[in-house]
Amino acid sequence: LPATGGVDAESLAAARQRAALEIRTRYRAVTADDFEFLCGEASPRVARALCVEPPNTVGVARIHLVPRIEPAERQLELAELIPDDALFQQVSDYLDERRLVGTRVELVPASFRGVSVVVNLQANLRADPRRVEEDVTTALYRYLNPLVGGAMEGAGAGWAFGRALNQGELYGVIHGVDGVDFVKILRIYETDLTTGEQQPKQAGSHIPLAEDELIASARHVVKAEHPEY
């Protein structure tokens, strides 16, 4: 039977970073970096973790978890992005053995800001408009993604927590797709990932995020046309 439940091989850069953290932490959770690292050690199902100290608290480590999803280069449903109870429990048990006495750990889902992009573009005469639409849509889902987003080319490490979205960077993503001549219209709308309801007013050219928020794609609409003569 085909193998199931596997994960991709660890990259050399990730191995170097993990080795340095292992030497430093000795598997004890002291700093925010320690907690984030140990969440990944607790289960391969943890893709990302952010540890913050809630305002007006002492000795509380609030950790936002993002579960691993395969494949991730697509529109991700909000339900997929919420860790299940079993994963929360597994991570909680692992950290409980390694936290300092007096430190309280709170595990919560990450917060997501849903965005929808509407694009109207002109395709090169030698390019198939339908193929261009598909490629641009895929590029947007990949870029505006909490797991593999944030890189102008190919898959990245995931949208950075708290990183604002600027409209200008989306032009670069779209123009990087083969067959795109130029973008006629590009609009961003904030969208409720639970209901799919899109805000009627455009979000503007700059969308700030809170420190514990991530960007996630709602439904994108891309239309490509050949020039008219």
Side-chain angles (χ1 to χ4, degrees), residues 122-204:
Q122 180 172 300
N124 189 287
L125 282 174
R126 293 170 292 180
D128 178 7
R130 303 291 79 78
R131 192 272 303 165
V132 173
E133 289 176 355
E134 292 176 0
D135 289 353
V136 169
T137 302
T138 298
L140 290 172
Y141 282 129
R142 181 191 303 121
Y143 187 71
L144 300 171
N145 191 298
L147 294 172
V148 295
M152 295 299 290
E153 295 183 3
W159 196 268
F161 279 97
R163 175 192 163 191
L165 169 62
N166 292 300
Q167 186 180 41
E169 58 194 293
L170 297 183
Y171 283 95
V173 172
I174 296 168
H175 280 289
V177 174
D178 184 50
V180 174
D181 267 356
F182 65 88
V183 177
K184 298 178 181 178
I185 297 173
L186 193 156
R187 296 171 181 160
I188 306 173
Y189 298 89
E190 291 195 38
T191 302
D192 189 319
L193 294 176
T194 302
T195 64
E197 182 179 357
Q198 180 177 296
Q199 293 294 318
K201 185 178 179 180
Q202 294 183 53

Side-chain angles (χ1 to χ4, degrees), residues 35 38-39 42-43 46 63 65 85-99 104-107:
F35 277 106
L38 290 173
C39 284
S43 171
V46 175
I63 305 173
L65 296 181
D85 291 341
L87 182 56
F88 274 133
Q89 190 62 55
Q90 184 177 3
V91 175
S92 177
D93 292 344
Y94 191 84
L95 294 180
D96 193 52
E97 298 175 354
R98 293 159 176 82
R99 65 178 175 83
R104 180 162 57 89
V105 177
E106 295 180 356
L107 297 178

Side-chain angles (χ1 to χ4, degrees), residues 115-119 140 144 170 186-189 219-221:
V115 293
S116 299
V117 180
V118 176
V119 182
L140 290 172
L144 300 171
L170 297 183
L186 193 156
R187 296 171 181 160
I188 306 173
Y189 298 89
R219 180 172 176 266
H220 303 313
V221 179

